[in-house]
């Protein structure tokens, strides 16, 4: 604050206006505006044919929300999304933490090679990954079932099976995303002073005890952060079913985002925005709950 | 020393599990359709062919999609570097009314999923006559709350003394920003630039909605539509397409990986 206050604030205000104006204009038009517009639209019967006259539509109150909540496919989509998040997030974070510990405590040479390698899928287009994984998961000529056949397991027809389609997409998501949380865990682990562990060692704590009672509590802020960001990402589950299954078979992989997109495609703009707002509310609530749970222990 | 060999074994096995699908894609893109369907599958292409790439660049219009992706990603990156550093500096270093409110609003929107805004955004862009145009693809992404946050954090770490010294020497406020402070943020700009470029290159939902004719498809849109459309059975073409989408990203990432991982570690967002 010091320099800012001393520097004569009239000139600073003028400079601040010039520096923030382009951002504020773009932000209002393309982020803040649409967020509010979406809320407004969700209470109307806006359809594709009204595209040119978005302000001349009828308010329908909570109809869209009630329609979404009583729609069986929407419920199925919500359940699938919950399934994806509840199984996918712990698996992703567990694998990320294991990889971070492996690299931070075990691997002394070639550490950055492994770090970069594990991170590669994160920066790869999800569409390309989905294309690759359709071959990995293909029933006969696929990589996964070929590997499974070496150990005598007869793999299922992953994406065409109602039971196995979701696990397939979760497997792919975990494979793709754990590197992102791993990097954050690595930064967190490097922030823990060596002396903490040395003290534990002197007190006779084994490696599991040192992890459980010394490292994990100190990592709490990092765990909070990764679980929130991973959770937000997984709640928006869209590209995987879009490219891999189109929500099938028999809606077994349809997600809230995917169904929202389908309703948009059918021209039901009011309904689609109400669904996306329901998703947003869930994201906000889940984030809030995660903060409370991990803060208070 | 004895303890470490199995740790390396696990690390290497992990690397194999991550890399295998990529290698399989690369090798598969040089196989014929017949070989791709063979059971059990082959690892190395028996009779390597570039037919898939030839088809990609002649029958399918991949040079066009590649150009579109490049134009959009470069424009989005330039916009973010310019506008996010401007507003990030103002939020970190200038004293003005509404500063805290602006920052809170920016932080708040970090959490809002893209699916919430895309319908009204689509209505807006369509009504502005920007559907199926480059501005329609670019404008909504010229600034990002993430970029503002990153730049603000970095500017906050720079000492105020530099600004004071420049003020004593008679520099104007904008000159202090452009000539003294901005050059010091080169590492942050590199991080933001690379992350923005990768994000834009891989962006999917918005280009899928806005690019309505083939001339405006970006690579991920083209690949997705090919893989679900009538070419869905042309496996060699799809694998070659995936290679074309992925390889530029891998090259950029490997060249600048320090900046990417640093940005993730600072802000935790990809």
């Amino acid at each position: 604050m010091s320099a800012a206050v001393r520097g004569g604030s009239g000139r600073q205000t003028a400079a601040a206006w010039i520096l923030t104006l382009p951002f504020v204009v773009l932000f209002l038009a393309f982020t803040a505006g649409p967020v509010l517009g979406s809320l407004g639209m969700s209470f109307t019967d806006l359809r594709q044919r009204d595209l040119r006259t978005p302000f001349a539509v009828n308010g329908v109150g909570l109809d869209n929300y009630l329609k979404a909540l009583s729609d069986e496919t929407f419920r199925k989509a919500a359940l699938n999304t919950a399934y994806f998040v509840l199984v996918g997030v712990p698996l992703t974070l567990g694998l990320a933490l294991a990889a971070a510990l492996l690299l931070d405590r075990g691997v002394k040479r070639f550490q950055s090679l492994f770090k970069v390698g594990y991170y590669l899928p994160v920066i790869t287009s999800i569409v390309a990954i989905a294309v690759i994984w359709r071959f990995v998961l293909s029933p006969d000529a696929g990589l996964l079932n070929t590997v499974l056949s070496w150990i005598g397991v007869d793999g299922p027809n992953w994406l065409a099976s109602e039971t196995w389609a979701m696990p397939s997409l979760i497997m792919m998501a975990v494979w793709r995303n754990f590197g992102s949380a791993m990097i954050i865990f690595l930064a967190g682990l490097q922030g823990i002073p060596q002396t903490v562990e040395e003290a534990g060692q002197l007190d006779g704590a084994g490696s599991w005890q040192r992890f459980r009672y010394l490292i994990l509590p100190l990592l709490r802020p990092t765990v909070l952060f990764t679980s929130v960001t991973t959770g937000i990402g997984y709640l928006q589950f869209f590209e995987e079913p879009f490219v891999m299954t189109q929500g099938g078979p028999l809606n077994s992989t349809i997600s809230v985002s995917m169904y929202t997109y389908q309703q948009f495609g059918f021209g039901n703009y009011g309904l689609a925005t109400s669904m996306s707002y329901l998703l947003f509310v869930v994201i906000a609530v889940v984030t809030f709950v995660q903060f409370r749970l991990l803060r208070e222990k | 020393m004895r303890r470490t060999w199995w740790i390396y074994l696990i690390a290497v096995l992990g690397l194999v599990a991550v890399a295998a699908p990529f290698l399989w894609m690369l090798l598969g893109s040089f196989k014929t359709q017949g070989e791709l369907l063979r059971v059990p599958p082959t690892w190395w292409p028996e009779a390597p062919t570039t037919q898939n790439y030839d088809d990609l660049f002649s029958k399918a219009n991949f040079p066009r999609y590649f150009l579109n992706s490049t134009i959009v990603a470069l424009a989005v990156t330039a916009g973010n570097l310019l506008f996010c550093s401007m507003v990030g500096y103002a939020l970190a270093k200038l004293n003005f009314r509404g500063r805290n409110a602006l920052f809170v609003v920016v932080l708040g929107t970090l959490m809002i999923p893209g699916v919430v805004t895309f319908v009204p955004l689509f209505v807006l862009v369509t009504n502005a006559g920007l559907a199926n145009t480059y501005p329609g693809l670019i404008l909504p992404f010229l600034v990002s709350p993430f970029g503002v946050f990153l730049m603000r954090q970095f500017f906050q770490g720079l000492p105020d003394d530099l600004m004071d010294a420049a003020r004593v020497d008679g520099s104007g406020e904008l000159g202090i920003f452009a000539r003294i402070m901005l050059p010091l943020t080169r590492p942050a700009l590199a991080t933001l630039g690379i992350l923005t470029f990768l994000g834009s290159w891989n962006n999917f939902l918005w280009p899928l909605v806005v690019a309505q004719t083939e001339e405006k498809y970006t690579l991920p849109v083209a690949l997705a539509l090919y893989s679900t459309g009538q070419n869905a059975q042309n496996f060699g073409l799809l694998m070659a397409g995936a290679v074309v989408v992925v390889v530029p990203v891998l090259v950029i990432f490997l060249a600048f990986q320090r900046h990417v991982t640093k940005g993730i570690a600072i802000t935790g967002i990809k």
Side-chain angles (χ1 to χ4, degrees):
Chain A
M1 194 65 39
S2 57
V5 175
R6 274 185 275 118
S9 69
R11 282 166 57 193
Q12 285 195 26
T13 303
W17 267 96
I18 296 169
L19 292 175
T20 52
L21 195 66
F23 170 82
V24 169
V25 170
L26 288 163
F27 183 75
L28 285 179
F30 296 112
T31 305
V35 169
L36 296 175
S38 194
L39 187 60
M41 266 180 208
S42 70
F43 297 108
T44 71
D45 61 358
L46 183 71
R47 293 183 51 82
Q48 189 167 20
R49 58 167 190 270
D50 311 316
L51 199 56
R52 301 264 161 212
T53 54
F55 294 104
V57 292
N58 303 310
V60 292
L62 288 170
D63 274 12
N64 289 324
Y65 288 92
L66 298 174
K67 208 166 154 188
L69 290 173
S70 62
D71 179 343
E72 218 154 285
T73 311
F74 183 80
R75 288 190 204 169
K76 179 78 183 154
L79 280 177
N80 286 339
T81 307
Y83 179 8
F84 185 73
V85 172
L86 291 176
V87 178
V89 172
L91 282 178
T92 307
L93 295 188
L95 190 59
L97 185 55
L101 284 168
L102 184 75
L103 295 193
D104 188 56
R105 302 289 139 116
V107 173
K108 298 275 177 268
R109 300 167 69 191
F110 308 113
Q111 200 197 51
S112 68
L113 169 79
F114 289 110
K115 195 167 79 174
V116 168
Y118 294 164
Y119 194 73
L120 275 185
V122 179
I123 47 101
T124 307
S125 160
I126 181 71
V127 180
I129 284 184
V131 166
I132 304 169
W133 272 74
R134 273 184 34 203
F135 298 108
V136 172
L137 294 168
S138 111
D140 300 318
L143 192 61
L144 185 57
N145 279 357
T146 305
V147 172
L148 284 177
S149 73
W150 295 342
I151 53 169
V153 176
D154 198 10
N157 186 348
W158 297 97
L159 292 171
S161 150
E162 261 190 276
T163 320
W164 289 104
M166 274 300 281
S168 305
L169 298 190
I170 291 172
M171 201 165 24
M172 185 179 97
V174 172
W175 177 87
R176 176 180 193 232
N177 290 306
F178 82 94
S180 179
M182 178 196 73
I183 298 282
I184 303 169
F185 280 132
L186 267 174
L189 284 172
Q190 277 152 15
I192 297 174
Q194 287 276 310
T195 47
V196 171
E197 270 204 87
E198 283 162 13
Q201 218 157 3
L202 282 179
D203 288 345
S207 55
W208 167 252
Q209 284 175 314
R210 292 203 302 274
F211 171 71
R212 176 68 188 80
Y213 296 105
L214 294 173
I215 298 178
L216 206 51
L218 287 169
L219 271 184
R220 171 152 289 146
T222 316
V223 173
L224 169 69
F225 193 83
T226 50
S227 62
V228 169
T229 50
T230 312
I232 290 176
Y234 278 24
L235 277 165
Q236 300 178 52
F237 186 39
F238 171 73
E239 281 98 342
E240 293 88 348
F242 183 91
V243 187
M244 307 277 287
T245 58
Q246 292 284 304
L250 293 173
N251 284 339
S252 62
T253 58
I254 197 158
S255 70
V256 174
S257 291
M258 177 82 207
Y259 194 44
T260 301
Y261 178 80
Q262 281 183 359
Q263 289 303 325
F264 166 79
F266 295 150
N268 301 326
Y269 291 0
L271 186 61
T273 47
S274 75
M275 287 176 181
S276 65
Y277 246 90
L278 286 172
L279 180 66
F280 173 55
V281 169
V282 171
I283 288 177
V285 169
V286 168
T287 307
F288 179 74
V289 169
Q290 277 174 315
F291 266 97
R292 290 303 291 266
L293 281 180
L294 282 152
R295 274 269 163 83
E296 275 181 4
K297 269 190 191 164
Chain B
M1 208 62 220
R2 194 175 302 147
R3 212 175 71 96
T4 54
W5 73 265
W6 59 266
I7 288 180
Y8 277 89
L9 181 68
I10 295 173
V12 169
L13 284 177
L15 204 56
V16 169
V18 171
F22 284 108
L23 280 176
W24 208 43
M25 161 190 79
L26 190 64
L27 294 172
S29 69
F30 294 105
K31 292 177 190 167
T32 61
Q33 177 80 352
E35 191 179 348
L36 279 165
L37 291 172
R38 196 169 310 159
V39 181
T42 54
W43 182 251
W44 293 103
E46 278 174 355
T49 168
T50 56
Q51 184 64 41
N52 296 318
Y53 290 95
D54 295 344
D55 288 351
L56 206 60
F57 286 88
S58 54
K59 283 190 224 156
N61 202 358
F62 265 69
R64 178 85 233 168
Y65 315 143
F66 196 94
L67 182 70
N68 289 343
S69 276
T70 309
I71 290 171
V72 171
L74 285 179
V76 166
T77 305
N80 270 278
L81 289 180
L82 179 65
F83 298 132
C84 293
S85 60
M86 283 163 64
V87 72
Y89 175 76
L91 287 174
K93 292 292 184 192
L94 296 179
N95 194 26
F96 63 99
R97 189 181 288 234
R99 179 173 75 166
N100 291 336
L102 183 60
F103 186 55
V104 167
V105 171
V106 169
L107 273 191
T109 53
L110 266 175
M111 207 178 70
I112 292 173
V115 72
V116 165
T117 54
F118 95 90
V119 180
L121 205 52
F122 180 75
V123 173
L124 176 78
V125 163
T126 308
N127 280 328
L130 298 175
N132 207 32
T133 66
Y134 288 123
L137 287 166
I138 293 164
L139 280 173
F141 297 96
L142 274 186
V143 297
S144 68
F146 160 73
V148 172
F149 183 62
L150 184 92
M151 292 312 295
R152 176 190 176 270
Q153 298 305 92
F154 198 88
F155 274 119
Q156 270 200 326
L158 297 179
D160 289 344
D161 301 350
L162 287 170
M163 299 159 63
D164 287 342
R167 283 190 187 116
V168 171
D169 290 345
S171 291
E173 293 295 328
L174 293 177
I176 295 173
F177 163 69
R179 279 195 291 274
I180 297 170
M181 302 300 268
L182 192 59
L184 293 174
T185 62
R186 212 170 289 159
L189 288 174
T191 300
L192 176 61
I194 291 149
L195 286 176
T196 308
F197 188 90
L198 295 180
S200 178
W201 187 270
N202 292 334
N203 191 13
F204 179 57
L205 179 58
W206 182 249
L208 177 72
V209 174
V210 169
Q212 288 152 354
T213 63
E214 221 221 348
E215 300 93 77
K216 292 296 186 300
Y217 284 174
T218 58
L219 280 172
V221 174
L223 188 62
L225 296 182
Y226 271 84
S227 69
T228 55
Q230 58 192 12
N231 284 301
Q233 299 311 310
N234 195 341
F235 299 139
L237 190 72
L238 290 179
M239 287 213 180
V243 170
V244 172
V245 176
V246 171
V247 164
V249 165
L250 293 193
V251 171
I252 291 174
F253 173 63
L254 291 176
F256 299 101
Q257 53 95 4
R258 271 184 46 243
H259 293 295
V260 177
T261 49
K262 198 189 292 162
I264 300 288
I266 292 172
T267 64
I269 300 156
K270 51 175 194 268

